[in-house]
Amino acid sequence: MQRLNLRSRLGLIFLAFSLLVVVSVTTTYLGIEAQNEDALVINLAGRQRMLVQQMTRQTMEVERQPGGETRLALQDSAQAFEQTLLALRDGGGVPYLAGITSLLPATRNPHIRSQLEQVANLWAGFRDNLQIVLQSDPASQEFQSAIQSIQNTAPELVEQSDSAVRLYSAEATAKAQRIKWVQIIFLAAAMILLALGVLVTRGSVLEPLRKLGNSTERIGAGNLHTPVQVQGPAEIQVLGATMDTMRSQLKASYEETQAWADTLEERVTQRTRELDALYSVSREISSRLDINYVLNSVTEKARQLLDGEIAYLCMLDSRGQTLSLQAICGPDSAIQRSSTSASTPLPGHILASNDAILCEIKGCHGACEIMASPYQTSHIAAPLQAGNRIIGALCVGSSQAQYFSDESLSLLTKLANAAAVAIENARLYDQAERSAILEERQRFAADMHDGLAQTLNYLLMSVDLTHDLVQQGKIELAMKKLERCHLAIDQASRETRLAIASLQDELPAPSSLQEQLSGLVQEIPAGRGAIEWLSEVKPPLMIPHQQSEQILRVAREALLNAQNHSQATQITVSLGQSNGQGILTIYDNGSGFDPQASLPENGQGHFGMSIMRARAARLEGQLEIVSAPGSGTRISLVWPLRRGEGDPEDHR
């Protein structure tokens, strides 16, 4: 007879255990249902005692109050008792709770049925007396006789009902005991099945696996000659055969590896040395951002790593048509041209390749036109690829034939990739540095144009006007004009100092616009009027330095004008925010002026307003000036806030 395999053995055990669990759960469920049913029956049987006592009490109430409600209540109690008695004995529906009818099965216990018959016999007489009470006059002799019979029969009827309840309770207890023994039997069977499963698992799985583990340890220790032999189920035997096949393959691989052991160590050492050198070179060329240094360092390291006689680097022009020589390491006689067309065979082949290529003097799509003939005997070239763009080529040459190996190609490819990144970074840094210098020049030129240039132009016109006034003998007017020129010179001096400071100082530490405006208010020297600083914007506004500088200069100019020319006693600086726009307002209660006048009394203020308007335009904002003689002045600067600089929806 064929032995069952491991899966079949464990499957039978698990199936038996599952059936046992199902039967146990089903038995428990049916037992719980039976107990619930027994509890209902016991409750109904116990209710009979209460009904007997209730009917006895109700008969006395009928005697005292022979009204219809009392007789109706007695009739309902009698009907409930009789329905319950019939349902307990013969089965059927019986009212239990309000609006709920419970179905009871007929009792099959002869002792309980006999007891219920006795209760029924007593009930027959009790019921007849109840009918007399319900139908007779309380004053009649028949009524009084029925009342006496009910009182005499009630204790015995209660006792017989209690006996039925005790029999029901005893039967329910016996059922619960039987369920308990069934559960004990199921538990014992489950323990037997678990023990059987443990024995099968140990004999058919654990022991064979232990032997397989010993074989694995032998293989791990280097013993590849001892075969793997394990007895057990079919699955274990297949596993043992597979492991023995693996042992045979490992043995063959080990013998093959041993054949390469003598040369492998030398190759690994050489490869490690090359990779260490490549890493050192990549780190060195990537650590500098000077484009000329990077180009010269790349060619020098390429020659050293590949032990070539000449190494040079060419860069592709912006149109992608010409390769121009940028750096060389080797004798000058090795170079015969400074550029070559990118469309010729060899450069085109190099630029179209993703890896370095090996060229001989008669192969590889022609010879390199930049390199002299003696060094074209053996040379390799790799494209410089930055992202998806080819920016140039790196070449190494030797006058010896077949000088470079396949490892040299891989090494030059990796060096070219690292060099391309370093060169591109250096070029981007150089472009960024040039852009920063140009941007700073443009900013300085704009400041000079908006501030100092207009002030000097005003001074020139004022000097001419003063000269005319002196020639006309209007000395007093000329002196007033000179005072205004003095004020203009002071402003020009301040503008010049600010421009020089902005060129010499480093950018300030990042701070909110509220902090910068508060600091400006504190820096302005105390004059005739007190300066009050208010901010309706609670979150800090972090805006670019170029924008904050323009805002601060507008605020400074407005404050100085208010202090020096408006004779104000109160100046208020407030910052607000609405509909995604920042709002800076400077208000003073001074003498005011007419913004529409072509030449106000304060000519310097005229130029100051034009400068402030120019700064507002740089912010892509607007400058609003509201003033009238004797009514003070309000200057409002409105500019758009970028995303992330404020939350207009929350702070309007």
Side-chain angles (χ1 to χ4, degrees):
M1 182 177 180
Q2 185 178 4
R3 296 179 61 185
L4 295 176
N5 57 24
L6 178 60
R7 179 182 297 178
S8 300
R9 297 179 195 176
L10 295 178
L12 289 176
I13 294 175
F14 291 150
L15 178 61
F17 189 81
S18 300
L19 291 176
L20 184 63
V21 171
V22 171
V23 173
S24 176
V25 171
T26 303
T27 304
T28 303
Y29 174 77
L30 294 177
I32 293 173
E33 290 294 323
Q35 288 181 350
N36 293 335
E37 185 177 309
D38 290 340
L40 176 62
V41 172
I42 292 172
N43 288 336
L44 291 173
R47 191 180 68 172
Q48 296 294 82
R49 173 191 178 94
M50 181 194 68
L51 289 174
V52 172
Q53 295 174 345
Q54 181 176 327
M55 287 184 291
T56 303
R57 185 177 64 256
Q58 289 173 342
T59 56
M60 302 300 294
E61 293 178 357
V62 170
E63 183 179 7
R64 292 191 300 268
Q65 299 177 358
E69 293 182 359
T70 307
R71 293 175 185 272
L72 183 60
L74 177 60
Q75 187 176 359
D76 291 340
S77 300
Q79 184 178 0
F81 185 92
E82 185 168 3
Q83 288 180 353
T84 303
L85 180 61
L86 292 176
L88 290 173
R89 186 185 63 183
D90 302 327
V94 60
Y96 180 52
L97 298 175
I100 299 177
T101 301
S102 300
L103 295 177
L104 301 181
T107 180
R108 291 180 291 181
N109 190 317
H111 300 289
I112 297 177
R113 192 171 186 84
S114 176
Q115 182 63 37
L116 291 176
E117 291 292 343
Q118 294 182 24
V119 174
N121 293 333
L122 287 174
W123 167 248
F126 194 88
R127 181 183 56 197
D128 293 340
N129 289 321
L130 290 177
Q131 291 297 325
I132 293 173
V133 170
L134 291 172
Q135 297 175 2
S136 301
D137 185 4
S140 64
Q141 182 64 32
E142 185 181 11
F143 183 88
Q144 296 297 326
S145 178
I147 289 292
Q148 186 64 37
S149 298
I150 288 173
Q151 292 178 351
N152 294 334
T153 308
E156 184 178 0
L157 184 58
V158 168
E159 178 63 27
Q160 294 299 329
S161 298
D162 289 343
S163 298
V165 172
R166 287 192 292 272
L167 289 175
Y168 274 119
S169 298
E171 184 182 29
T173 303
K175 288 181 181 179
Q177 192 68 21
R178 287 195 297 271
I179 293 175
K180 177 180 178 181
W181 281 106
V182 169
Q183 293 297 326
I184 292 174
I185 293 172
F186 283 154
L187 177 61
M191 297 302 295
I192 293 173
L193 286 175
L194 287 176
L196 182 61
V198 169
L199 293 176
V200 171
T201 303
R202 181 175 181 180
S204 300
V205 179
L206 297 181
E207 186 63 23
L209 288 179
R210 185 186 65 80
K211 295 180 180 180
L212 284 175
N214 294 336
S215 300
T216 304
E217 291 178 357
R218 290 198 304 270
I219 295 174
N223 185 358
L224 301 176
H225 301 283
T226 303
V228 178
Q229 296 178 351
V230 178
Q231 299 297 325
E235 294 88 347
I236 299 297
Q237 293 181 7
V238 170
L239 182 59
T242 303
M243 187 173 291
D244 190 64
T245 302
M246 180 189 69
R247 178 195 62 81
S248 301
Q249 294 176 350
L250 286 175
K251 180 181 178 183
S253 299
Y254 177 76
E255 292 174 351
E256 182 180 355
T257 303
Q258 283 294 107
W260 289 89
D262 296 336
T263 59
L264 181 60
E265 183 176 356
E266 181 181 353
R267 295 174 61 190
V268 169
T269 302
Q270 180 182 359
R271 187 65 172 170
T272 302
R273 184 169 59 251
E274 292 176 351
L275 291 177
D276 288 342
L278 179 61
Y279 171 74
S280 176
V281 169
S282 300
R283 183 177 60 181
E284 180 179 350
I285 63 177
S286 299
S287 62
R288 299 288 294 270
L289 293 175
D290 185 355
I291 184 65
N292 293 324
Y293 174 85
V294 172
L295 294 174
N296 292 325
S297 179
V298 167
T299 54
E300 180 182 354
K301 300 305 180 183
R303 180 186 177 190
Q304 292 177 359
L305 283 177
L306 278 72
D307 196 21
E309 299 177 40
I310 177 67
Y312 64 93
L313 187 147
C314 298
M315 297 297 293
L316 197 62
D317 64 358
S318 59
R319 296 179 298 174
Q321 297 180 357
T322 303
L323 279 170
S324 300
L325 183 64
Q326 299 294 325
I328 178 175
C329 181
D332 295 337
S333 59
I335 301 299
Q336 61 181 4
R337 296 182 60 177
S338 61
S339 63
T340 184
S341 174
S343 60
T344 55
L346 179 57
H349 183 58
I350 295 173
L351 297 178
S353 176
N354 291 326
D355 302 318
I357 59 174
L358 177 63
C359 300
E360 302 296 337
I361 194 169
K362 295 182 179 179
C364 190
H365 303 275
C368 182
E369 298 178 353
I370 293 179
M371 191 183 302
S373 297
Y375 301 96
Q376 295 180 5
T377 303
S378 181
H379 61 279
I380 55 177
L384 298 174
Q385 185 172 1
N388 296 325
R389 297 187 303 110
I390 302 297
I391 62 175
L394 178 62
C395 303
V396 181
S398 174
S399 59
Q400 302 179 30
Q402 299 180 351
Y403 183 76
F404 299 105
S405 62
D406 293 338
E407 287 78 7
S408 300
L409 292 175
S410 176
L411 192 60
L412 186 62
T413 299
K414 295 176 181 178
L415 177 60
N417 292 336
V421 174
I423 293 172
E424 190 68 10
N425 288 340
R427 291 173 62 180
L428 292 175
Y429 176 78
D430 184 65
Q431 293 176 4
E433 192 175 38
R434 292 175 182 272
S435 298
I437 294 174
L438 180 59
E439 181 180 356
E440 185 63 21
R441 288 179 177 176
Q442 292 175 347
R443 185 189 66 82
F444 183 69
D447 289 343
M448 297 297 289
H449 174 269
D450 294 341
L452 187 58
Q454 294 195 40
T455 302
L456 292 176
N457 186 41
Y458 164 74
L459 289 173
L460 179 60
M461 291 187 297
S462 297
V463 169
D464 292 339
L465 180 60
T466 302
H467 181 266
D468 294 339
L469 291 174
V470 171
Q471 287 184 345
Q472 296 173 10
K474 300 177 181 180
I475 304 301
E476 184 177 353
L477 292 178
M479 293 302 296
K480 290 183 179 181
K481 181 58 66 176
L482 287 176
E483 290 178 1
R484 293 171 186 169
C485 290
H486 185 271
L487 294 176
I489 293 172
D490 287 342
Q491 179 171 343
S493 177
R494 289 196 303 270
E495 293 287 342
T496 303
R497 286 197 299 271
L498 287 175
I500 295 175
S502 66
L503 292 176
Q504 293 178 343
D505 297 340
E506 296 182 354
L507 289 178
S511 60
S512 66
L513 182 59
Q514 292 94 322
E515 294 173 338
Q516 297 180 54
L517 287 172
S518 176
L520 174 63
V521 170
Q522 296 176 4
E523 291 175 4
I524 297 297
R528 180 181 303 174
I531 303 177
E532 181 183 9
W533 156 244
L534 300 174
S535 176
E536 300 176 0
V537 183
K538 300 303 181 183
L541 286 179
M542 306 301 294
I543 63 177
H545 172 69
Q546 294 82 356
Q547 290 189 5
S548 64
E549 184 179 6
Q550 300 299 327
I551 296 171
L552 291 174
R553 292 195 177 187
V554 170
R556 181 187 296 274
E557 180 69 23
L559 287 173
L560 291 176
N561 287 341
Q563 276 199 341
N564 297 331
H565 310 299
S566 68
Q567 299 178 352
T569 60
Q570 180 65 37
I571 304 174
T572 302
V573 180
S574 65
L575 178 65
Q577 179 179 337
S578 177
N579 298 325
Q581 292 181 320
I583 303 173
L584 174 66
T585 303
I586 298 93
Y587 171 77
D588 68 77
N589 61 353
S591 59
F593 66 97
D594 183 7
Q596 304 298 327
S598 59
L599 185 61
E601 292 183 2
N602 185 0
Q604 177 58 30
H606 173 78
F607 286 103
M609 295 302 171
S610 64
I611 294 173
M612 288 192 288
R613 293 186 189 278
R615 296 191 186 280
R618 289 188 197 171
L619 293 169
E620 298 180 359
Q622 294 179 349
L623 185 74
E624 181 183 9
I625 302 173
V626 178
S627 181
S631 299
T633 303
R634 186 181 75 249
I635 299 177
S636 298
L637 173 63
V638 181
W639 76 98
L641 292 174
R642 299 178 182 177
R643 184 182 298 274
E645 294 177 354
D647 190 359
E649 296 299 327
D650 295 338
H651 309 284
R652 291 187 178 180

